[in-house]
Amino acid sequence: MQIKDIIALDDKYYMGVFGKRFPICFVDGKGSSLIDSQGKVYTDFLGGIAVNCLGYSDPGLIQTLQDQVAHVMHTSNYFYVETQALAAEKLCKATGFDKVFFSNSGAEALEGAIKLARKYFHNKGQEKYEIITMKNSFHGRTLATLSATGQAHYQEPYHPLVPTFVHVPFNDLQAVKAAVTDKTCAILMEPIQGEGGVIPAQAEFIQGVRQLCNEKGILMIADEVQCGMGRTGCMLASQKYGVKPDIVTLAKALGGGVPIGAFLATEEVAAAFAPGDHGSTFGGNHLATAAANYVLGQLMETDMLKKIAALGAYFKEKLQELVDKFPNIALQARGDGLMLGLQITPQVPVKDIVVALQQKGYIIGTAGGNTLRFVPPYVISKADIDGLIAALEKIFQML
Ligand SMILES: *Cc1c(COP(=O)(O)O)cnc(C)c1O
């Protein structure tokens, strides 16, 4: 199909929530490259928003999925699922958690985490249901996760929201402490805020939140839907901070492009769920967990995490050089591993830079606070990074 015909169908039949999209339709990919319907090749620094961690056409993932599709994709959770059990074991071993539940998306993983935190205190006979979350956070689009999200523009049309979420400024431990009441059941935070602008937690803050939770008997929930699954060079970003939450959510990169989310908990917290307390028709099915099992194997059994850390450090250095060279345009380089942001002066809309990069054959994303967001596949190369930086430099020179 021609791109103009696809756009016409989309305009006519698809709900308008994505507005005018970029007029590009990808039809193929290999490694860190994407190919559009006109045959143009791009280097991908978006990875389908931190999802396609193994890049495109990974031969092992293709083989795994083809094998699974040829047998059963889905049989329901009335029955045991081998790939689900195997992926659960790998994920627990990789993260140090005891129990996992597989969902279909990030928001659903958060929904499960919120329910688990509430059930934990319900079992203790304690009336604790408030959850403290951070301003500028993003936790998803369902009504509860939208209510947890600390950005008014996502919430504005949907009031009344789910009550019991209390928002405090990110990286402000005093504010968190002041917000704790005898009804607080959990503190929820992204170790690195993604949609909000690639803003890492300060170590003292996240460690302080853990300590506060210990002192007050509150659960700590880390939303690692974006920053987890090796993105920072550690399986979990919280591991990098030396912090172990009580519950962690994952999704985006977990299936290498196949939709799957998860929430993990310690034995003690997970035990709060009894049969019937939670469930999902699709969650953890053969197809999605075969993908997760393969992705986890790649992260755990190869030197991929080390590569992410090394490439990320190199990439960030190069972004910092852009800040030094163009201080009036590039204000700050932020992030960790292959989750990096470059904050741009408010005078230059980031979308203009994104489009200019597309013309030069690079796909990148944006995030809050006029920030360019780089969440590439883990198979990106140093040469890819050099190419992107050179393209950015050319664009900045023209501004
Ligand atoms: C993307 C994201 C979500 C929501 O995930 P969906 O799969 O879109 O529901 C939740 N939390 C964080 C931190 C995210 O980046």
Side-chain angles (χ1 to χ4, degrees):
M1 267 174 96
Q2 294 289 313
I3 182 74
K4 68 169 181 16
D5 299 323
I6 300 169
I7 293 172
L9 281 183
D10 183 272
D11 277 349
K12 190 161 162 49
Y13 292 109
Y14 205 82
M15 291 196 190
V17 293
F18 300 118
K20 276 231 168 307
R21 311 187 201 204
F22 297 114
I24 299 172
C25 177
F26 296 113
V27 294
D28 213 343
K30 194 165 180 45
S32 57
S33 296
L34 274 169
I35 301 155
D36 75 8
S37 53
Q38 328 272 346
K40 179 169 171 173
V41 181
Y42 302 79
T43 307
D44 180 24
F45 280 83
L46 178 62
I49 319 184
V51 167
N52 302 323
C53 59
L54 304 182
Y56 303 91
S57 305
D58 179 277
L61 183 57
I62 290 175
Q63 192 62 56
T64 300
L65 293 175
Q66 282 178 341
D67 289 349
Q68 195 60 56
V69 168
H71 292 94
V72 286
M73 289 191 271
H74 177 94
T75 56
S76 91
N77 284 311
Y78 289 158
F79 308 99
Y80 291 96
V81 178
E82 181 178 333
T83 46
Q84 187 183 94
L86 289 170
E89 179 193 27
K90 276 210 181 81
L91 197 48
C92 286
K93 286 193 167 156
T95 58
F97 281 84
D98 304 309
K99 289 278 161 69
V100 61
F101 180 90
F102 289 116
S103 63
N104 306 294
S105 68
E108 269 181 78
L110 266 300
E111 289 275 348
I114 293 164
K115 282 174 69 179
L116 179 60
R118 283 197 178 189
K119 183 78 200 308
Y120 177 79
F121 288 105
H122 176 84
N123 284 0
K124 288 178 183 286
Q126 295 179 25
E127 239 189 70
K128 288 182 190 280
Y129 45 75
E130 279 176 9
I131 298 185
I132 298 171
T133 73
M134 305 302 140
K135 290 193 172 150
N136 200 46
S137 61
F138 182 84
H139 298 296
R141 302 280 194 164
T142 62
L143 205 51
T145 59
L146 190 70
S147 307
T149 290
Q151 300 189 59
H153 67 101
Y154 289 109
Q155 304 170 331
E156 194 271 321
Y158 301 109
H159 286 269
L161 300 173
V162 176
T164 72
F165 291 98
V166 179
H167 301 99
V168 298
F170 189 45
N171 279 328
D172 184 344
L173 191 57
Q174 288 315 315
V176 179
K177 283 183 178 162
V180 173
T181 71
D182 58 357
K183 300 277 181 274
T184 306
C185 82
I187 300 172
L188 164 63
M189 65 181 288
E190 297 159 86
I192 304 175
Q193 291 189 334
E195 307 301 308
V198 193
I199 304 171
Q202 285 155 10
E204 314 81 69
F205 177 72
I206 188 168
Q207 288 158 5
V209 165
R210 176 68 273 182
Q211 203 185 334
L212 179 65
C213 287
N214 292 348
E215 286 163 12
K216 302 275 184 184
I218 299 169
L219 298 179
M220 179 180 181
I221 308 174
D223 180 356
E224 300 220 16
V225 165
Q226 190 160 161
C227 62
M229 282 303 287
R231 179 74 38 202
T232 62
C234 271
M235 191 58 80
L236 299 178
S238 46
Q239 289 171 330
K240 219 163 177 178
Y241 286 104
V243 163
K244 188 176 177 191
D246 301 289
I247 306 173
V248 169
T249 56
L250 294 169
K252 291 191 165 82
L254 179 55
V258 177
I260 180 169
F263 61 100
L264 291 145
T266 58
E267 187 81 56
E268 194 220 338
V269 173
F273 270 165
D277 281 345
H278 198 55
S280 171
T281 300
F282 290 123
N285 79 13
H286 298 261
L287 185 68
T289 49
N293 198 32
Y294 178 78
V295 171
L296 285 163
Q298 291 299 295
L299 284 174
M300 293 163 76
E301 289 148 27
T302 71
D303 60 354
M304 196 170 271
L305 290 174
K306 265 195 201 132
K307 277 191 183 155
I308 293 165
L311 277 171
Y314 177 76
F315 194 173
K316 194 171 178 186
E317 214 178 278
K318 293 282 149 188
L319 290 175
Q320 184 57 47
E321 284 173 22
L322 286 178
V323 173
D324 297 339
K325 229 169 169 170
F326 301 93
N328 298 325
I329 299 169
L331 304 183
Q332 193 182 36
R334 292 192 292 257
D336 200 356
L338 290 176
M339 179 171 179
L340 298 172
L342 187 64
Q343 193 184 347
I344 302 296
T345 175
Q347 277 91 323
V348 180
V350 273
K351 197 170 167 212
D352 293 355
I353 299 174
V354 167
V355 170
L357 278 172
Q358 286 172 1
Q359 283 158 2
K360 292 181 183 300
Y362 290 93
I363 300 297
I364 69 160
T366 63
N370 214 42
T371 303
L372 301 176
R373 175 169 36 167
F374 309 97
V375 281
Y378 302 159
V379 297
I380 208 99
S381 69
K382 224 169 157 176
D384 291 333
I385 295 168
D386 290 340
L388 171 84
I389 296 291
L392 271 171
E393 201 165 332
K394 279 216 181 82
I395 292 165
F396 289 172
Q397 276 162 1
M398 304 282 285
L399 287 173

